[in-house]
Amino acid sequence: MNAKLLSLSLAFGAIAAASAPAAAQTIEGNVALTSNYVFRGISQTDDGPAISGGFDLSTESGIYVGVWGSSVDFSDDTTMELDLYAGYGWEAAGFGFDAGVIYYAYPDSPADQNFVEVYGGVSHPIGPFSWDANLAYSPDFYGGIGSAWYGSTGLAIDVVEGITADVRAGMSEFDDAGSVDYEDYQIGVSGTVFETIGWDLRYFKASDGGDDGFFVTFSQSFGG
């Protein structure tokens, strides 16, 4: 998740530290290069490459904030996505939980395409698998089309040491009568090279004649 200004992160971290002085703070950065930026089964770069990066600030209390940006190509003058997010993660009864809010901004968009989502997720090991499910809601989704929901779930398994395979499925639903609900699916494999560089190869498909294809991503994290 994906996805905010570093100054906002530092300010939020200061608030968290004031309320929980014993919690240590960490700042981690990331940068990635992908052959296709795919969001919920839809290419955000007209099936072209994208470069992205961001920063996350987290505390031992589970509070986190972050900023993430990526190049995009919507066949108009929009060239950049900038996401600001904040949330809280915790564990209970063997389950992992996560809840937060994210603001998707397109600073050079020629139209009002910015929108806000609230999200929640749960994860739990099932035998050798790692399972998760997530739900997001926007009161006024991209392009001002009205309220929208997105739900997804996935399973991942360590195939061999250092290599993980996963499958995912998602569902987008819109209240706007002119927008078509659709499903998206992914299957992928990921790992690391040179101990620090992450790689991810996957196939994606959107229903109803939507986008599909393979894409590969290389990423690097630093700090922490």
Side-chain angles (χ1 to χ4, degrees):
M1 295 185 33
N2 299 111
K4 297 111 197 168
L5 299 174
L6 182 58
S7 59
L8 173 63
S9 299
L10 295 174
F12 198 90
I15 295 173
S19 61
Q25 300 175 17
T26 60
I27 296 179
E28 185 174 280
N30 61 84
V31 62
L33 179 64
T34 183
S35 62
N36 191 358
Y37 170 22
V38 177
F39 178 70
R40 299 176 184 173
I42 306 298
S43 175
Q44 307 295 289
T45 49
D46 195 24
D47 291 323
I51 186 169
S52 63
F55 290 93
D56 294 284
L57 184 147
S58 60
T59 74
E60 290 181 351
S61 67
I63 295 173
Y64 62 87
V65 293
V67 54
W68 182 85
S70 176
S71 57
V72 298
D73 182 0
F74 296 159
S75 299
D76 56 17
D77 292 331
T78 308
T79 64
M80 180 182 182
E81 174 185 335
L82 185 64
D83 301 342
L84 308 173
Y85 54 90
Y88 176 62
W90 72 100
E91 294 184 359
F95 287 82
F97 297 93
D98 183 35
V101 59
I102 182 168
Y103 178 66
Y104 297 85
Y106 304 90
D108 57 357
S109 169
D112 184 15
Q113 298 170 321
N114 302 347
F115 66 98
V116 175
E117 279 188 339
V118 292
Y119 60 85
V122 58
S123 60
H124 187 67
I126 302 176
F129 295 93
S130 298
W131 166 81
D132 70 86
N134 305 274
L135 184 65
Y137 170 74
S138 174
D140 194 14
F141 195 63
Y142 176 84
I145 66 172
S147 61
W149 293 87
Y150 181 74
S152 66
T153 187
L155 284 173
I157 187 171
D158 293 332
V159 181
V160 296
E161 184 177 357
I163 297 181
T164 300
D166 69 274
V167 294
R168 302 201 61 82
M171 176 68 185
S172 295
E173 294 187 351
F174 309 97
D175 286 346
D176 179 49
S179 300
V180 178
D181 300 343
Y182 71 95
E183 300 87 38
D184 67 275
Y185 311 93
Q186 292 188 17
I187 181 169
V189 61
S190 59
T192 59
V193 293
F194 306 117
E195 297 184 352
T196 61
I197 299 175
W199 60 268
D200 183 280
L201 173 65
R202 64 187 51 242
Y203 172 79
F204 75 100
K205 170 66 177 177
S207 64
D208 298 323
D211 292 351
D212 71 288
F214 289 90
F215 65 98
V216 61
T217 303
F218 293 95
S219 60
Q220 172 76 63
S221 297
F222 51 91

